Amino acid sequence: MTWDEMSPLLLEATGQTAQMVVWSTLFTVLFGLPLGIALVVTDRGGLLPSPVLNRVLGLVVNLGRSLPFIVLMIAVIPLTRLIVGTTIGTFAAVVPLTLGAAPFFARLVETALREVGRDTVQAAQAMGAGRGTIIGKVLLPEAMPGLVAGLTVTVVALISYSAMAGAIGGGGLGDLAIRYGYQRFETTLMVVTVVVLVVIVQLVQTLGDVVARRLARR
Amino acid sequence: MIDVSGLRKVYRDRGREVVALGGVDLRVREGEIFGVLGQSGAGKSTLLRCVNLLERPTEGTVSVAGQELTALREGELRRARQRIGMIHQHFALLSSRTVAGNVAFPLEVMGVGRAERARRVAELLELVGLADKAGAHPAQLSGGQKQRVGIARALAGNPSVLLSDEATSALDPATTQSILSLLRNLNRELGLTILLITHEMHVVKGICDSVAVMRDGLVEESGAIPELIARPGSRLAAELFPLPRPEAGNVTITFTGQADEPVVSEIVRKFDVDVNILGGVLEEVAGVSAGRLRVRLTGGEREAALDYLTERGLLVEVTP
């Protein structure tokens, strides 16, 4: 394949990957962050201990994390149809991507929030701060470097998951590599795709590292 | 100012009951610095946390400034806590905020407006001598400076009471002294009542007016320091004036404020006794010089000499 033949394919696939990753990142944060907070808050000795809810949430998160992504993607097809209206295409892939990444991100949020010292939380309680204030003004800002690092890992995981979206017609760089590089023996395209993926992951990781480090230096 | 009565705290750990506080009564008078002294595990930290109800006592009541905290609902308790300052061993500052932001935090919790907040923060930082560090982050400060931020933050709500949880235990001796004198000044100038817990005798010696000695979840003795020292068998005195274990017949004389009177030479002259000094310690505590002398008294009118010392207001203990 010549560069002229490859470039429109690459451009389109990169756009699809970007679309899938951006949207699913957004929804992952939307669901994963509250879930992670809930895991910490409802734990024994948390701000609002609730052992039953905590166990249920923990179970849900573990369930989401124990399914291989490719299986999850197929298994949630009915749900995807319910939400998006279709089961194929880039947007249809956002549903399983979010379902796969949100529990993962929730665990990372949980870990980051646990890093905030018990002292710090108790000091805020001693000042008469309520739960909402403690979560919004103590836990989240204090855990911010960890949260950013967790988000970075999640985005990289989403880029990797999105490569499987070809299985449900989601397109993207992974799909391109499989269809052209593997099935049509277009080694050059395969190599280029891999390079593009590596560059994207590097960019995301570097950006995340810089932001996390800047936040942590304070 | 602080009234604690019948306070019990029992933890349940894997079916076993652990008694952290076994019925503690404590009364802290307005304007005094009250120290709770004890080894780690004695229950003093639990006691302090029960005063602002960070820990719910299993039994008993806590009143601060005439308000019974143990009877309050959650919202009321939060408002009451805004009037009780607290400082911590490891400072517990928000690393994501600047010094000014940390001091502003309790004001935000109280719903103080932005302009008023800025004014109050400047005032508080001035008070603790950190006006030039307003824009710094805690990570850039020394331990002593961090504790000053902690103190400024604790004073934000104009509290009548300050609780101090081992506030100087993580600091070096010189810094400890400067923090203790800051606390002493705040106590004098603002009339702030301070309840502090510590395992260090020099903190008690340095700034406390009254003290409670805790052991195994119970208060062994408590009261104003000069009175405590003058009490026979006082544990505080024993720790304050470390002397070797006495032998039978040894006489231990405790002075509180009469250290400048030449009582020993008086009894030698009047009662013709021989005095052999075995050991002695003199300390400045709660504004008075107090001390303890261990002697062997022989010959002459020994009993009369002992009676004379007691008449002079000294505590005389004879080891049986």
Side-chain angles (χ1 to χ4, degrees):
Chain A
M1 269 179 113
T2 66
W3 184 247
D4 284 345
E5 287 171 311
M6 283 193 296
S7 59
L9 288 173
L10 279 167
L11 221 62
E12 191 196 21
T14 308
Q16 287 165 338
T17 294
Q19 214 167 31
M20 283 189 281
V21 171
V22 168
W23 282 108
S24 53
T25 299
L26 210 72
F27 287 116
T28 295
V29 173
L30 202 67
F31 294 111
L33 188 64
L35 192 54
I37 294 171
L39 280 170
V40 175
V41 170
T42 58
D43 197 10
R44 238 163 51 107
L47 290 172
L48 196 63
S50 166
V52 176
L53 184 60
N54 188 264
R55 198 154 306 160
V56 170
L57 290 175
L59 208 69
V60 168
V61 166
N62 287 343
L63 198 75
R65 289 190 55 201
S66 56
L67 282 181
F69 182 67
I70 190 93
V71 178
L72 177 84
M73 203 161 52
I74 310 298
V76 300
I77 280 180
L79 181 69
T80 307
R81 180 178 291 121
L82 199 72
I83 296 171
V84 191
T86 173
T87 61
I88 50 171
T90 310
F91 278 103
V94 171
V95 175
L97 282 173
T98 302
L99 283 175
F104 177 65
F105 183 56
R107 282 288 182 216
L108 297 177
V109 169
E110 184 192 3
T111 312
L113 295 182
R114 283 196 200 289
E115 290 293 305
V116 180
R118 223 183 133 56
D119 265 34
T120 316
V121 174
Q122 284 207 338
Q125 284 177 322
M127 285 180 255
R131 294 189 189 90
T133 311
I134 291 177
I135 294 170
K137 290 195 168 189
V138 178
L139 284 180
L140 292 177
E142 288 293 294
M144 204 43 93
L147 292 176
V148 170
L151 184 64
T152 309
V153 175
T154 306
V155 172
V156 171
L158 276 170
I159 294 171
S160 151
Y161 287 170
S162 75
M164 289 178 242
I168 57 163
L173 286 164
D175 185 42
L176 188 71
I178 291 168
R179 281 191 294 126
Y180 285 79
Y182 179 62
Q183 289 163 353
R184 299 195 195 174
F185 302 101
E186 293 285 355
T187 311
T188 322
L189 186 78
M190 177 69 126
V191 171
V192 174
T193 313
V194 167
V195 169
V196 172
L197 277 170
V198 168
V199 169
I200 291 176
V201 169
Q202 275 303 326
L203 282 177
V204 169
Q205 189 64 54
T206 308
L207 182 73
D209 287 349
V210 168
V211 174
R213 205 173 315 134
R214 185 165 295 179
L215 287 169
R217 199 182 298 150
R218 299 175 308 198
Chain B
M1 200 55 166
I2 302 175
D3 264 302
V4 168
S5 88
L7 203 66
R8 278 172 54 80
K9 176 73 187 179
V10 181
Y11 294 104
R12 225 168 283 278
D13 183 34
R14 280 174 231 112
R16 278 191 321 134
E17 284 196 344
V18 181
V19 180
L21 294 175
V24 169
D25 298 297
L26 208 64
R27 161 160 282 203
V28 180
R29 287 188 302 261
E30 186 168 356
E32 74 173 339
I33 301 186
F34 193 107
V36 177
L37 183 69
Q39 297 303 312
S40 52
K44 54 192 195 308
S45 193
T46 307
L47 172 63
L48 194 77
R49 273 155 218 283
C50 279
V51 170
N52 62 359
L53 260 57
L54 282 179
E55 305 251 16
R56 263 286 156 192
T58 314
E59 269 172 54
T61 58
V62 175
S63 298
V64 175
Q67 195 175 27
E68 192 188 327
L69 299 186
T70 32
L72 297 182
R73 284 196 308 264
E74 200 183 308
E76 297 168 322
L77 175 62
R78 281 210 301 271
R79 270 190 298 283
R81 278 176 177 164
Q82 293 169 3
R83 306 268 300 136
I84 303 173
M86 188 172 189
I87 53 178
H88 310 261
Q89 180 174 7
H90 299 294
F91 324 119
L93 300 177
L94 298 174
S95 60
S96 56
R97 289 180 173 226
T98 61
V99 166
N102 269 284
V103 180
F105 181 80
L107 297 167
E108 289 171 28
V109 170
M110 283 180 266
V112 175
R114 181 182 293 267
E116 171 64 12
R117 230 158 48 208
R119 196 188 62 73
R120 187 89 182 100
V121 167
E123 196 179 284
L124 287 161
L125 288 179
E126 189 69 44
L127 187 67
V128 299
L130 280 181
D132 57 329
K133 296 284 184 197
H137 275 98
Q140 299 163 306
L141 303 180
S142 68
Q145 289 171 328
K146 284 183 198 169
Q147 197 55 285
R148 282 168 190 271
V149 177
I151 292 170
R153 179 176 70 173
L155 296 177
N158 282 317
S160 48
V161 169
L162 180 71
L163 306 178
S164 164
D165 184 1
E166 298 271 9
T168 58
S169 299
L171 303 174
D172 63 60
T175 315
T176 294
Q177 275 318 310
S178 83
I179 293 294
L180 290 182
S181 51
L182 174 62
L183 290 177
R184 184 38 110 181
N185 288 341
L186 293 171
N187 162 258
R188 289 201 182 127
E189 285 161 27
L190 309 177
L192 191 66
T193 306
I194 301 178
L195 173 61
L196 62 85
I197 63 167
T198 184
H199 64 273
E200 295 170 310
M201 180 57 92
H202 73 89
V203 172
V204 170
K205 235 159 40 186
I207 63 168
C208 291
D209 302 306
S210 298
V211 71
V213 181
M214 279 194 79
R215 192 164 159 178
D216 297 334
L218 292 169
V219 171
E220 285 194 316
E221 58 185 23
S222 78
I225 290 178
E227 289 165 28
L228 265 191
I229 294 171
R231 206 179 282 175
S234 160
R235 288 199 63 85
L236 179 74
E239 283 185 45
L240 193 57
F241 311 118
L243 288 173
R245 179 177 281 279
E247 289 168 24
N250 283 176
V251 177
T252 308
I253 307 163
T254 308
F255 310 81
T256 41
Q258 313 94 327
D260 51 348
E261 292 167 34
V263 287
V264 172
S265 62
E266 279 175 25
I267 57 168
V268 170
R269 261 186 278 119
K270 287 191 178 164
F271 303 103
D272 191 29
V273 285
D274 284 315
V275 179
N276 182 13
I277 297 178
L278 302 169
V281 184
L282 195 63
E283 291 279 4
E284 184 85 23
V285 277
V288 298
S289 55
R292 183 166 270 194
L293 194 61
R294 171 141 327 129
V295 297
R296 194 160 37 220
L297 271 185
T298 44
E301 303 161 69
R302 187 173 186 271
E303 294 310 313
L306 294 178
D307 289 343
Y308 176 77
L309 291 173
T310 309
E311 272 166 39
R312 294 295 304 264
L314 303 173
L315 172 65
V316 178
E317 291 164 285
V318 180
T319 308

